Amino acid sequence: MKARLNSDEYVAGLITGNRVILAKAITLAESKLPEDQELIEEVLEKILPYTGNSLRIGITGIPGVGKSTFIEVFGKYLIQNHHKKIAVLTVDPSSRLTQGSILGDKTRMEELSKNPLAFIRPSASGEALGGITHKTREAILLCEAAGFDLILIETVGIGQSETAVKNTADVFLLLMLAGAGDELQGIKKGIMEMADVLAITKADGDNSKRATEAQADYQHALHLLRPDESGWRPKVLTCSALSGTGIEEIWNTISDYIKLQHKTGLLQQKRQQQEIHWLHECFNNLIKTKLSDDKQLSILFQNSEYRVRNRELSAPHAARFILKEFIATLKAD
Ligand code: GDP
């Protein structure tokens, strides 16, 4: 394959489900080069009619909770029993990427990664957490155009990523450990409340009883919440990727949630809000890049920070001045 494809070649490859082109397109989306960004924008524009038909499931939990093991089993179950084509996008802000793969990630989801109906891709999260949604969104659309009808977005729960998942997925599945204590898991009440479905993992062997107890505790805590507009209250389940128990129930619960969201029109509303959120994010990113790429503006910013820090200048005044200079630069371009 020649090194650089044009947008039509990307589109043709994507809509025929060419995985090499899909992987290349995601890399293109992650590139910071202006010419790559222009090209991927063209591709995204052209594939829009082929997107939006998947179910996007966000899966979050602390490291070690069993995310990759769960996804391996859940993915295989969905392929075998529901004839789904699954794309897994893993977003791990704490991992370093080496040429498109997370270090130590080779052994993760080994069987699923060999399945022709699955596509696994670690997403480059880059430096900013805010960037997660941006690139992941593009990856989702590319996967959808390539015919994947279930997109699993895996993130590590560290506070901000939950919000990013909420802004990206149709349903949010939070995986938790029994007996680890909320604080240990970094799970604040707000995060639990954000989840639509919660599952206590590793409910097998000696851990079964603890998992059931934790399920009851969490369900009780969440029962005090007001249901969302559709009448849904987060459900707490248990599962074991090792024995396979609870996997089907998780899928059924997710399906129930989606059906309800669909019926009440909330799913469409959520997606529209996510699109708008994406627009704002793209715009903010463009401005940020423009600011940091322009040497004079960068210097002005640094000087302003210095003067604001030393109380020589008020922040609102400095901000307005930078904006004026920024507009002047844009006009001069
Ligand atoms: P991740 O960091 O959240 O992706 O977690 P992993 O999927 O890598 O799992 C962490 C550890 O928990 C591994 O040693 C797994 O073998 C183990 N584990 C995962 N799922 C289960 C399960 O259902 N039961 C038991 N007993 N162990 C599990």
Side-chain angles (χ1 to χ4, degrees):
M1 201 194 313
K2 68 176 183 190
R4 194 160 176 87
L5 306 175
N6 64 33
S7 65
D8 286 330
E9 288 166 323
Y10 269 112
V11 174
L14 284 168
I15 62 177
T16 50
N18 183 322
R19 302 158 70 95
V20 177
I21 295 204
L22 172 59
K24 247 174 128 59
I26 297 178
T27 306
L28 189 70
E30 288 168 353
S31 163
K32 287 198 168 77
L33 294 176
E35 60 268 33
D36 288 348
Q37 282 172 13
E38 268 174 42
L39 182 55
I40 196 66
E41 276 171 28
E42 246 182 77
V43 173
L44 289 171
E45 196 77 8
K46 288 180 180 170
I47 59 162
L48 270 187
Y50 303 96
T51 62
N53 296 322
S54 80
L55 172 59
R56 304 157 182 175
I57 305 178
I59 301 177
T60 292
I62 56 161
V65 72
K67 290 179 298 301
S68 53
T69 318
F70 171 80
I71 291 173
E72 166 105 335
V73 174
F74 190 54
K76 282 193 293 180
Y77 162 81
L78 292 167
I79 290 172
Q80 274 160 21
N81 297 281
H82 298 277
H83 314 291
K84 298 283 183 194
K85 266 184 89 181
I86 314 237
V88 182
L89 304 172
T90 62
V91 185
D92 187 347
S94 61
S95 292
R96 281 192 201 91
L97 290 173
T98 40
Q99 305 187 334
S101 76
I102 289 178
L103 288 173
D105 207 54
K106 282 196 195 84
T107 52
R108 303 179 92 222
M109 306 170 209
E110 208 172 354
E111 275 186 57
L112 195 61
S113 63
K114 286 181 198 142
N115 194 309
L117 294 175
F119 175 83
I120 300 180
R121 168 76 181 211
S123 261
S125 65
E127 59 299 325
L129 275 172
I132 288 177
T133 333
H134 190 49
K135 298 305 170 194
T136 309
R137 270 211 150 258
E138 291 169 357
I140 290 171
L141 296 181
L142 294 167
C143 289
E144 287 177 347
F148 290 92
D149 48 13
L150 238 169
I151 320 273
L152 306 182
I153 306 138
E154 179 200 351
T155 59
V156 176
I158 50 157
Q160 284 179 56
S161 63
E162 286 82 0
T163 319
V165 169
K166 199 77 186 162
N167 286 326
T168 312
D170 298 321
V171 53
F172 180 177
L173 169 64
L174 179 64
L175 300 183
M176 298 199 297
L177 289 170
D182 292 354
E183 264 167 45
L184 188 66
Q185 299 197 55
I187 291 169
K188 301 201 183 72
K189 197 161 158 265
I191 291 167
M192 271 173 53
E193 288 172 9
M194 260 195 259
D196 306 305
V197 182
L198 295 90
I200 317 289
T201 56
K202 309 188 192 182
D204 45 52
D206 292 347
N207 210 32
S208 292
K209 192 166 161 274
R210 271 197 296 164
T212 314
E213 283 165 7
Q215 177 188 22
D217 286 349
Y218 284 125
Q219 191 68 75
H220 179 73
L222 290 170
H223 219 79
L224 304 172
L225 284 182
R226 237 190 299 148
D228 75 5
E229 286 167 71
S230 70
W232 181 267
R233 267 204 187 90
K235 300 257 180 312
V236 189
L237 307 165
T238 60
C239 71
S240 163
L242 211 64
S243 69
T245 51
I247 300 294
E248 182 162 22
E249 204 186 348
I250 291 180
W251 171 245
N252 289 341
T253 307
I254 288 175
S255 300
D256 288 347
Y257 172 79
I258 292 296
K259 270 184 218 141
L260 184 66
Q261 296 291 301
H262 194 65
K263 203 174 83 188
T264 50
L266 286 174
L267 185 64
Q268 200 198 359
Q269 206 178 313
K270 191 197 264 181
R271 282 204 171 184
Q272 283 172 348
Q273 282 165 356
Q274 289 173 343
E275 298 288 345
I276 299 296
H277 182 86
W278 192 28
L279 164 66
H280 285 243
E281 206 178 63
C282 289
F283 187 73
N284 290 341
N285 280 341
L286 279 182
I287 301 238
K288 259 192 227 157
T289 313
K290 194 100 190 144
L291 275 176
S292 58
D293 285 355
D294 189 299
K295 240 197 175 121
Q296 276 181 328
L297 283 174
S298 282
I299 292 171
L300 177 64
F301 229 106
Q302 279 164 19
N303 285 343
S304 305
E305 281 175 8
Y306 178 80
R307 295 183 64 194
V308 167
R309 201 163 46 228
N310 289 328
R311 305 174 64 83
E312 291 169 27
L313 202 64
S314 79
H317 185 172
R320 187 166 297 280
F321 185 70
I322 295 169
L323 181 68
K324 264 192 196 152
E325 291 297 309
F326 184 48
I327 293 170
T329 322
L330 290 179
K331 280 188 184 149
D333 268 359

